[in-house]
PDB file of all heavy atoms in Angstrom:
ATOM      1  N   SER A   1       0.850  -1.191   0.000  1.00  0.00           N
ATOM      2  CA  SER A   1       0.000   0.000   0.000  1.00  0.00           C
ATOM      3  C   SER A   1       0.888   1.245   0.000  1.00  0.00           C
ATOM      4  O   SER A   1       2.116   1.165   0.119  1.00  0.00           O
ATOM      5  CB  SER A   1      -0.893   0.006   1.242  1.00  0.00           C
ATOM      6  OG  SER A   1      -0.099   0.132   2.416  1.00  0.00           O
ATOM      7  N   GLY A   2       0.251   2.429  -0.100  1.00  0.00           N
ATOM      8  CA  GLY A   2       1.006   3.677  -0.157  1.00  0.00           C
ATOM      9  C   GLY A   2       1.897   3.891   1.050  1.00  0.00           C
ATOM     10  O   GLY A   2       3.039   4.336   0.932  1.00  0.00           O
ATOM     11  N   GLY A   3       1.387   3.579   2.251  1.00  0.00           N
ATOM     12  CA  GLY A   3       2.189   3.759   3.452  1.00  0.00           C
ATOM     13  C   GLY A   3       3.402   2.860   3.498  1.00  0.00           C
ATOM     14  O   GLY A   3       4.497   3.272   3.894  1.00  0.00           O
ATOM     15  N   TRP A   4       3.245   1.595   3.070  1.00  0.00           N
ATOM     16  CA  TRP A   4       4.371   0.655   3.059  1.00  0.00           C
ATOM     17  C   TRP A   4       5.356   0.986   1.940  1.00  0.00           C
ATOM     18  O   TRP A   4       6.560   0.765   2.074  1.00  0.00           O
ATOM     19  CB  TRP A   4       3.866  -0.779   2.947  1.00  0.00           C
ATOM     20  CG  TRP A   4       3.231  -1.244   4.220  1.00  0.00           C
ATOM     21  CD1 TRP A   4       1.904  -1.322   4.499  1.00  0.00           C
ATOM     22  CD2 TRP A   4       3.914  -1.652   5.412  1.00  0.00           C
ATOM     23  NE1 TRP A   4       1.705  -1.760   5.787  1.00  0.00           N
ATOM     24  CE2 TRP A   4       2.926  -1.974   6.372  1.00  0.00           C
ATOM     25  CE3 TRP A   4       5.251  -1.768   5.769  1.00  0.00           C
ATOM     26  CZ2 TRP A   4       3.235  -2.415   7.663  1.00  0.00           C
ATOM     27  CZ3 TRP A   4       5.564  -2.209   7.056  1.00  0.00           C
ATOM     28  CH2 TRP A   4       4.570  -2.525   7.981  1.00  0.00           C
ATOM     29  N   LEU A   5       4.857   1.536   0.833  1.00  0.00           N
ATOM     30  CA  LEU A   5       5.765   2.006  -0.211  1.00  0.00           C
ATOM     31  C   LEU A   5       6.644   3.143   0.302  1.00  0.00           C
ATOM     32  O   LEU A   5       7.828   3.240  -0.037  1.00  0.00           O
ATOM     33  CB  LEU A   5       4.969   2.470  -1.438  1.00  0.00           C
ATOM     34  CG  LEU A   5       4.404   1.392  -2.359  1.00  0.00           C
ATOM     35  CD1 LEU A   5       3.471   2.010  -3.387  1.00  0.00           C
ATOM     36  CD2 LEU A   5       5.533   0.637  -3.054  1.00  0.00           C
ATOM     37  N   ARG A   6       6.054   4.006   1.132  1.00  0.00           N
ATOM     38  CA  ARG A   6       6.822   5.094   1.720  1.00  0.00           C
ATOM     39  C   ARG A   6       7.922   4.536   2.628  1.00  0.00           C
ATOM     40  O   ARG A   6       9.048   5.034   2.670  1.00  0.00           O
ATOM     41  CB  ARG A   6       5.891   6.015   2.495  1.00  0.00           C
ATOM     42  CG  ARG A   6       6.564   7.170   3.186  1.00  0.00           C
ATOM     43  CD  ARG A   6       7.235   8.104   2.235  1.00  0.00           C
ATOM     44  NE  ARG A   6       6.316   9.049   1.657  1.00  0.00           N
ATOM     45  CZ  ARG A   6       6.656  10.017   0.826  1.00  0.00           C
ATOM     46  NH1 ARG A   6       7.908  10.137   0.450  1.00  0.00           N
ATOM     47  NH2 ARG A   6       5.773  10.846   0.334  1.00  0.00           N
ATOM     48  N   ARG A   7       7.616   3.450   3.358  1.00  0.00           N
ATOM     49  CA  ARG A   7       8.640   2.818   4.201  1.00  0.00           C
ATOM     50  C   ARG A   7       9.756   2.221   3.335  1.00  0.00           C
ATOM     51  O   ARG A   7      10.944   2.297   3.690  1.00  0.00           O
ATOM     52  CB  ARG A   7       8.015   1.719   5.061  1.00  0.00           C
ATOM     53  CG  ARG A   7       7.100   2.217   6.154  1.00  0.00           C
ATOM     54  CD  ARG A   7       6.891   1.139   7.200  1.00  0.00           C
ATOM     55  NE  ARG A   7       5.855   1.506   8.156  1.00  0.00           N
ATOM     56  CZ  ARG A   7       5.743   0.992   9.370  1.00  0.00           C
ATOM     57  NH1 ARG A   7       6.616   0.079   9.778  1.00  0.00           N
ATOM     58  NH2 ARG A   7       4.783   1.361  10.189  1.00  0.00           N
ATOM     59  N   ALA A   8       9.375   1.627   2.211  1.00  0.00           N
ATOM     60  CA  ALA A   8      10.391   1.060   1.318  1.00  0.00           C
ATOM     61  C   ALA A   8      11.310   2.155   0.786  1.00  0.00           C
ATOM     62  O   ALA A   8      12.538   1.968   0.697  1.00  0.00           O
ATOM     63  CB  ALA A   8       9.713   0.316   0.169  1.00  0.00           C
ATOM     64  N   ALA A   9      10.734   3.301   0.424  1.00  0.00           N
ATOM     65  CA  ALA A   9      11.552   4.420  -0.054  1.00  0.00           C
ATOM     66  C   ALA A   9      12.477   4.930   1.046  1.00  0.00           C
ATOM     67  O   ALA A   9      13.632   5.298   0.791  1.00  0.00           O
ATOM     68  CB  ALA A   9      10.647   5.547  -0.555  1.00  0.00           C
ATOM     69  N   LEU A  10      11.980   4.949   2.282  1.00  0.00           N
ATOM     70  CA  LEU A  10      12.817   5.371   3.403  1.00  0.00           C
ATOM     71  C   LEU A  10      13.962   4.380   3.619  1.00  0.00           C
ATOM     72  O   LEU A  10      15.101   4.770   3.897  1.00  0.00           O
ATOM     73  CB  LEU A  10      11.963   5.490   4.666  1.00  0.00           C
ATOM     74  CG  LEU A  10      12.669   5.959   5.944  1.00  0.00           C
ATOM     75  CD1 LEU A  10      13.315   7.322   5.739  1.00  0.00           C
ATOM     76  CD2 LEU A  10      11.680   6.010   7.108  1.00  0.00           C
ATOM     77  N   ALA A  11      13.665   3.085   3.480  1.00  0.00           N
ATOM     78  CA  ALA A  11      14.718   2.064   3.610  1.00  0.00           C
ATOM     79  C   ALA A  11      15.798   2.267   2.553  1.00  0.00           C
ATOM     80  O   ALA A  11      16.997   2.151   2.840  1.00  0.00           O
ATOM     81  CB  ALA A  11      14.102   0.668   3.489  1.00  0.00           C
ATOM     82  N   GLN A  12      15.382   2.583   1.327  1.00  0.00           N
ATOM     83  CA  GLN A  12      16.358   2.830   0.258  1.00  0.00           C
ATOM     84  C   GLN A  12      17.241   4.027   0.592  1.00  0.00           C
ATOM     85  O   GLN A  12      18.448   4.027   0.343  1.00  0.00           O
ATOM     86  CB  GLN A  12      15.639   3.072  -1.069  1.00  0.00           C
ATOM     87  CG  GLN A  12      16.575   3.198  -2.253  1.00  0.00           C
ATOM     88  CD  GLN A  12      15.855   3.664  -3.511  1.00  0.00           C
ATOM     89  OE1 GLN A  12      15.638   4.849  -3.701  1.00  0.00           O
ATOM     90  NE2 GLN A  12      15.477   2.714  -4.353  1.00  0.00           N
ATOM     91  N   ALA A  13      16.639   5.068   1.190  1.00  0.00           N
ATOM     92  CA  ALA A  13      17.413   6.260   1.538  1.00  0.00           C
ATOM     93  C   ALA A  13      18.396   5.982   2.680  1.00  0.00           C
ATOM     94  O   ALA A  13      19.461   6.599   2.750  1.00  0.00           O
ATOM     95  CB  ALA A  13      16.464   7.395   1.935  1.00  0.00           C
ATOM     96  N   LEU A  14      18.052   5.046   3.570  1.00  0.00           N
ATOM     97  CA  LEU A  14      18.866   4.810   4.756  1.00  0.00           C
ATOM     98  C   LEU A  14      19.935   3.733   4.561  1.00  0.00           C
ATOM     99  O   LEU A  14      20.790   3.558   5.430  1.00  0.00           O
ATOM    100  CB  LEU A  14      17.970   4.415   5.936  1.00  0.00           C
ATOM    101  CG  LEU A  14      17.022   5.493   6.460  1.00  0.00           C
ATOM    102  CD1 LEU A  14      16.112   4.908   7.532  1.00  0.00           C
ATOM    103  CD2 LEU A  14      17.792   6.685   7.008  1.00  0.00           C
ATOM    104  N   VAL A  15      19.881   3.010   3.436  1.00  0.00           N
ATOM    105  CA  VAL A  15      20.768   1.852   3.292  1.00  0.00           C
ATOM    106  C   VAL A  15      22.247   2.254   3.311  1.00  0.00           C
ATOM    107  O   VAL A  15      23.104   1.482   3.748  1.00  0.00           O
ATOM    108  CB  VAL A  15      20.417   1.058   2.008  1.00  0.00           C
ATOM    109  CG1 VAL A  15      20.817   1.836   0.759  1.00  0.00           C
ATOM    110  CG2 VAL A  15      21.070  -0.314   2.018  1.00  0.00           C
ATOM    111  N   SER A  16      22.556   3.457   2.872  1.00  0.00           N
ATOM    112  CA  SER A  16      23.951   3.912   2.855  1.00  0.00           C
ATOM    113  C   SER A  16      24.380   4.549   4.163  1.00  0.00           C
ATOM    114  O   SER A  16      25.478   5.120   4.245  1.00  0.00           O
ATOM    115  CB  SER A  16      24.167   4.912   1.713  1.00  0.00           C
ATOM    116  OG  SER A  16      23.943   4.312   0.465  1.00  0.00           O
ATOM    117  N   LYS A  17      23.504   4.499   5.176  1.00  0.00           N
ATOM    118  CA  LYS A  17      23.799   5.083   6.490  1.00  0.00           C
ATOM    119  C   LYS A  17      24.201   6.549   6.362  1.00  0.00           C
ATOM    120  O   LYS A  17      25.318   6.949   6.727  1.00  0.00           O
ATOM    121  CB  LYS A  17      24.890   4.277   7.204  1.00  0.00           C
ATOM    122  CG  LYS A  17      24.506   2.831   7.468  1.00  0.00           C
ATOM    123  CD  LYS A  17      25.591   2.081   8.218  1.00  0.00           C
ATOM    124  CE  LYS A  17      25.152   0.638   8.481  1.00  0.00           C
ATOM    125  NZ  LYS A  17      26.189  -0.143   9.203  1.00  0.00           N
ATOM    126  N   PRO A  18      23.300   7.393   5.850  1.00  0.00           N
ATOM    127  CA  PRO A  18      23.642   8.803   5.608  1.00  0.00           C
ATOM    128  C   PRO A  18      23.782   9.574   6.914  1.00  0.00           C
ATOM    129  O   PRO A  18      23.181   9.235   7.936  1.00  0.00           O
ATOM    130  CB  PRO A  18      22.444   9.309   4.798  1.00  0.00           C
ATOM    131  CG  PRO A  18      21.305   8.462   5.261  1.00  0.00           C
ATOM    132  CD  PRO A  18      21.892   7.102   5.500  1.00  0.00           C
ATOM    133  N   SER A  19      24.548  10.656   6.865  1.00  0.00           N
ATOM    134  CA  SER A  19      24.628  11.577   7.999  1.00  0.00           C
ATOM    135  C   SER A  19      23.665  12.744   7.823  1.00  0.00           C
ATOM    136  O   SER A  19      23.385  13.464   8.787  1.00  0.00           O
ATOM    137  CB  SER A  19      26.057  12.100   8.160  1.00  0.00           C
ATOM    138  OG  SER A  19      26.562  12.579   6.924  1.00  0.00           O
ATOM    139  N   ILE A  20      23.146  12.936   6.583  1.00  0.00           N
ATOM    140  CA  ILE A  20      22.143  13.971   6.299  1.00  0.00           C
ATOM    141  C   ILE A  20      21.021  13.312   5.494  1.00  0.00           C
ATOM    142  O   ILE A  20      21.267  12.721   4.446  1.00  0.00           O
ATOM    143  CB  ILE A  20      22.737  15.144   5.494  1.00  0.00           C
ATOM    144  CG1 ILE A  20      23.888  15.799   6.250  1.00  0.00           C
ATOM    145  CG2 ILE A  20      21.658  16.182   5.170  1.00  0.00           C
ATOM    146  CD1 ILE A  20      24.657  16.813   5.426  1.00  0.00           C
ATOM    147  N   LEU A  21      19.792  13.424   5.989  1.00  0.00           N
ATOM    148  CA  LEU A  21      18.642  12.843   5.311  1.00  0.00           C
ATOM    149  C   LEU A  21      17.702  13.957   4.883  1.00  0.00           C
ATOM    150  O   LEU A  21      17.266  14.774   5.704  1.00  0.00           O
ATOM    151  CB  LEU A  21      17.911  11.857   6.234  1.00  0.00           C
ATOM    152  CG  LEU A  21      16.673  11.157   5.657  1.00  0.00           C
ATOM    153  CD1 LEU A  21      17.039  10.356   4.404  1.00  0.00           C
ATOM    154  CD2 LEU A  21      16.042  10.245   6.703  1.00  0.00           C
ATOM    155  N   LEU A  22      17.402  14.026   3.580  1.00  0.00           N
ATOM    156  CA  LEU A  22      16.491  15.018   3.010  1.00  0.00           C
ATOM    157  C   LEU A  22      15.139  14.349   2.770  1.00  0.00           C
ATOM    158  O   LEU A  22      15.076  13.302   2.133  1.00  0.00           O
ATOM    159  CB  LEU A  22      17.049  15.564   1.695  1.00  0.00           C
ATOM    160  CG  LEU A  22      18.522  15.990   1.685  1.00  0.00           C
ATOM    161  CD1 LEU A  22      18.949  16.393   0.278  1.00  0.00           C
ATOM    162  CD2 LEU A  22      18.754  17.130   2.666  1.00  0.00           C
ATOM    163  N   LEU A  23      14.067  14.960   3.267  1.00  0.00           N
ATOM    164  CA  LEU A  23      12.736  14.358   3.138  1.00  0.00           C
ATOM    165  C   LEU A  23      11.764  15.389   2.567  1.00  0.00           C
ATOM    166  O   LEU A  23      11.618  16.486   3.118  1.00  0.00           O
ATOM    167  CB  LEU A  23      12.215  13.869   4.495  1.00  0.00           C
ATOM    168  CG  LEU A  23      13.112  12.911   5.275  1.00  0.00           C
ATOM    169  CD1 LEU A  23      13.693  13.630   6.492  1.00  0.00           C
ATOM    170  CD2 LEU A  23      12.349  11.687   5.737  1.00  0.00           C
ATOM    171  N   ASP A  24      11.098  15.044   1.474  1.00  0.00           N
ATOM    172  CA  ASP A  24      10.142  15.930   0.809  1.00  0.00           C
ATOM    173  C   ASP A  24       8.734  15.425   1.102  1.00  0.00           C
ATOM    174  O   ASP A  24       8.310  14.394   0.592  1.00  0.00           O
ATOM    175  CB  ASP A  24      10.416  15.947  -0.704  1.00  0.00           C
ATOM    176  CG  ASP A  24       9.731  17.117  -1.389  1.00  0.00           C
ATOM    177  OD1 ASP A  24       8.832  17.725  -0.775  1.00  0.00           O
ATOM    178  OD2 ASP A  24      10.087  17.417  -2.543  1.00  0.00           O
ATOM    179  N   GLU A  25       7.999  16.162   1.939  1.00  0.00           N
ATOM    180  CA  GLU A  25       6.641  15.805   2.354  1.00  0.00           C
ATOM    181  C   GLU A  25       6.573  14.342   2.825  1.00  0.00           C
ATOM    182  O   GLU A  25       5.848  13.523   2.259  1.00  0.00           O
ATOM    183  CB  GLU A  25       5.655  16.039   1.199  1.00  0.00           C
ATOM    184  CG  GLU A  25       5.496  17.493   0.805  1.00  0.00           C
ATOM    185  CD  GLU A  25       4.710  18.315   1.814  1.00  0.00           C
ATOM    186  OE1 GLU A  25       4.293  17.757   2.854  1.00  0.00           O
ATOM    187  OE2 GLU A  25       4.526  19.516   1.583  1.00  0.00           O
ATOM    188  N   PRO A  26       7.294  13.980   3.878  1.00  0.00           N
ATOM    189  CA  PRO A  26       7.370  12.573   4.277  1.00  0.00           C
ATOM    190  C   PRO A  26       6.068  11.994   4.800  1.00  0.00           C
ATOM    191  O   PRO A  26       5.916  10.767   4.828  1.00  0.00           O
ATOM    192  CB  PRO A  26       8.439  12.586   5.379  1.00  0.00           C
ATOM    193  CG  PRO A  26       8.415  13.974   5.925  1.00  0.00           C
ATOM    194  CD  PRO A  26       8.098  14.855   4.757  1.00  0.00           C
ATOM    195  N   THR A  27       5.109  12.831   5.228  1.00  0.00           N
ATOM    196  CA  THR A  27       3.867  12.293   5.797  1.00  0.00           C
ATOM    197  C   THR A  27       2.779  12.070   4.757  1.00  0.00           C
ATOM    198  O   THR A  27       1.714  11.549   5.101  1.00  0.00           O
ATOM    199  CB  THR A  27       3.326  13.229   6.892  1.00  0.00           C
ATOM    200  OG1 THR A  27       3.006  14.505   6.319  1.00  0.00           O
ATOM    201  CG2 THR A  27       4.348  13.413   8.001  1.00  0.00           C
ATOM    202  N   ASN A  28       3.018  12.470   3.502  1.00  0.00           N
ATOM    203  CA  ASN A  28       2.006  12.239   2.460  1.00  0.00           C
ATOM    204  C   ASN A  28       1.693  10.754   2.350  1.00  0.00           C
ATOM    205  O   ASN A  28       2.587   9.910   2.352  1.00  0.00           O
ATOM    206  CB  ASN A  28       2.502  12.756   1.102  1.00  0.00           C
ATOM    207  CG  ASN A  28       2.268  14.245   0.952  1.00  0.00           C
ATOM    208  OD1 ASN A  28       1.797  14.905   1.870  1.00  0.00           O
ATOM    209  ND2 ASN A  28       2.605  14.781  -0.200  1.00  0.00           N
ATOM    210  N   HIS A  29       0.423  10.424   2.217  1.00  0.00           N
ATOM    211  CA  HIS A  29      -0.064   9.054   2.001  1.00  0.00           C
ATOM    212  C   HIS A  29       0.096   8.176   3.245  1.00  0.00           C
ATOM    213  O   HIS A  29      -0.109   6.957   3.154  1.00  0.00           O
ATOM    214  CB  HIS A  29       0.635   8.385   0.810  1.00  0.00           C
ATOM    215  CG  HIS A  29       0.689   9.224  -0.424  1.00  0.00           C
ATOM    216  ND1 HIS A  29      -0.425   9.506  -1.178  1.00  0.00           N
ATOM    217  CD2 HIS A  29       1.718   9.874  -1.022  1.00  0.00           C
ATOM    218  CE1 HIS A  29      -0.088  10.278  -2.200  1.00  0.00           C
ATOM    219  NE2 HIS A  29       1.213  10.514  -2.119  1.00  0.00           N
ATOM    220  N   LEU A  30       0.450   8.763   4.391  1.00  0.00           N
ATOM    221  CA  LEU A  30       0.595   7.976   5.606  1.00  0.00           C
ATOM    222  C   LEU A  30      -0.608   8.189   6.518  1.00  0.00           C
ATOM    223  O   LEU A  30      -1.124   9.304   6.625  1.00  0.00           O
ATOM    224  CB  LEU A  30       1.867   8.370   6.361  1.00  0.00           C
ATOM    225  CG  LEU A  30       3.210   8.173   5.652  1.00  0.00           C
ATOM    226  CD1 LEU A  30       4.350   8.498   6.618  1.00  0.00           C
ATOM    227  CD2 LEU A  30       3.358   6.767   5.109  1.00  0.00           C
ATOM    228  N   ASP A  31      -1.037   7.112   7.195  1.00  0.00           N
ATOM    229  CA  ASP A  31      -2.107   7.262   8.164  1.00  0.00           C
ATOM    230  C   ASP A  31      -1.542   7.795   9.476  1.00  0.00           C
ATOM    231  O   ASP A  31      -0.323   7.922   9.656  1.00  0.00           O
ATOM    232  CB  ASP A  31      -2.864   5.948   8.368  1.00  0.00           C
ATOM    233  CG  ASP A  31      -1.954   4.806   8.798  1.00  0.00           C
ATOM    234  OD1 ASP A  31      -1.147   5.013   9.724  1.00  0.00           O
ATOM    235  OD2 ASP A  31      -2.057   3.716   8.206  1.00  0.00           O
ATOM    236  N   VAL A  32      -2.430   8.119  10.412  1.00  0.00           N
ATOM    237  CA  VAL A  32      -2.020   8.804  11.637  1.00  0.00           C
ATOM    238  C   VAL A  32      -1.063   7.951  12.463  1.00  0.00           C
ATOM    239  O   VAL A  32      -0.063   8.447  12.993  1.00  0.00           O
ATOM    240  CB  VAL A  32      -3.265   9.182  12.466  1.00  0.00           C
ATOM    241  CG1 VAL A  32      -2.852   9.795  13.801  1.00  0.00           C
ATOM    242  CG2 VAL A  32      -4.120  10.171  11.690  1.00  0.00           C
ATOM    243  N   ASP A  33      -1.352   6.667  12.591  1.00  0.00           N
ATOM    244  CA  ASP A  33      -0.481   5.799  13.378  1.00  0.00           C
ATOM    245  C   ASP A  33       0.917   5.718  12.768  1.00  0.00           C
ATOM    246  O   ASP A  33       1.926   5.731  13.485  1.00  0.00           O
ATOM    247  CB  ASP A  33      -1.086   4.393  13.486  1.00  0.00           C
ATOM    248  CG  ASP A  33      -2.333   4.370  14.348  1.00  0.00           C
ATOM    249  OD1 ASP A  33      -2.500   5.306  15.161  1.00  0.00           O
ATOM    250  OD2 ASP A  33      -3.147   3.439  14.204  1.00  0.00           O
ATOM    251  N   THR A  34       0.984   5.649  11.433  1.00  0.00           N
ATOM    252  CA  THR A  34       2.283   5.574  10.768  1.00  0.00           C
ATOM    253  C   THR A  34       3.043   6.889  10.897  1.00  0.00           C
ATOM    254  O   THR A  34       4.276   6.899  11.036  1.00  0.00           O
ATOM    255  CB  THR A  34       2.115   5.205   9.283  1.00  0.00           C
ATOM    256  OG1 THR A  34       1.316   4.025   9.186  1.00  0.00           O
ATOM    257  CG2 THR A  34       3.453   4.945   8.623  1.00  0.00           C
ATOM    258  N   ILE A  35       2.324   8.014  10.883  1.00  0.00           N
ATOM    259  CA  ILE A  35       2.979   9.312  11.079  1.00  0.00           C
ATOM    260  C   ILE A  35       3.598   9.377  12.468  1.00  0.00           C
ATOM    261  O   ILE A  35       4.741   9.826  12.645  1.00  0.00           O
ATOM    262  CB  ILE A  35       1.980  10.467  10.871  1.00  0.00           C
ATOM    263  CG1 ILE A  35       1.563  10.560   9.392  1.00  0.00           C
ATOM    264  CG2 ILE A  35       2.582  11.792  11.319  1.00  0.00           C
ATOM    265  CD1 ILE A  35       0.454  11.550   9.129  1.00  0.00           C
ATOM    266  N   ALA A  36       2.858   8.912  13.474  1.00  0.00           N
ATOM    267  CA  ALA A  36       3.394   8.903  14.840  1.00  0.00           C
ATOM    268  C   ALA A  36       4.629   8.002  14.928  1.00  0.00           C
ATOM    269  O   ALA A  36       5.628   8.351  15.574  1.00  0.00           O
ATOM    270  CB  ALA A  36       2.315   8.440  15.819  1.00  0.00           C
ATOM    271  N   TRP A  37       4.553   6.837  14.249  1.00  0.00           N
ATOM    272  CA  TRP A  37       5.716   5.943  14.221  1.00  0.00           C
ATOM    273  C   TRP A  37       6.899   6.613  13.532  1.00  0.00           C
ATOM    274  O   TRP A  37       8.042   6.528  13.998  1.00  0.00           O
ATOM    275  CB  TRP A  37       5.344   4.649  13.482  1.00  0.00           C
ATOM    276  CG  TRP A  37       6.534   3.793  13.159  1.00  0.00           C
ATOM    277  CD1 TRP A  37       7.107   2.838  13.941  1.00  0.00           C
ATOM    278  CD2 TRP A  37       7.321   3.844  11.951  1.00  0.00           C
ATOM    279  NE1 TRP A  37       8.189   2.290  13.310  1.00  0.00           N
ATOM    280  CE2 TRP A  37       8.352   2.884  12.099  1.00  0.00           C
ATOM    281  CE3 TRP A  37       7.254   4.584  10.788  1.00  0.00           C
ATOM    282  CZ2 TRP A  37       9.292   2.659  11.096  1.00  0.00           C
ATOM    283  CZ3 TRP A  37       8.197   4.385   9.805  1.00  0.00           C
ATOM    284  CH2 TRP A  37       9.198   3.418   9.952  1.00  0.00           C
TER     285      TRP A  37
END
């Protein structure tokens, strides 16, 4: 679903263990519980 796709994209961004993470509208398509998480 859209929320789990957002998690997959976040995993792709984190795989290189960045020291700076850029996020463009990270809460879009996420439900309230996932936003809190």
Side-chain angles (χ1 to χ4, degrees):
S1 65
W4 288 101
L5 283 171
R6 179 62 82 177
R7 290 198 189 202
L10 181 58
Q12 186 189 83
L14 293 174
V15 71
S16 297
K17 299 182 179 179
S19 50
I20 301 171
L21 180 59
L22 313 175
L23 306 109
D24 196 344
E25 294 287 1
T27 62
N28 277 3
H29 312 289
L30 299 185
D31 57 48
V32 175
D33 291 339
T34 308
I35 292 173
W37 168 88

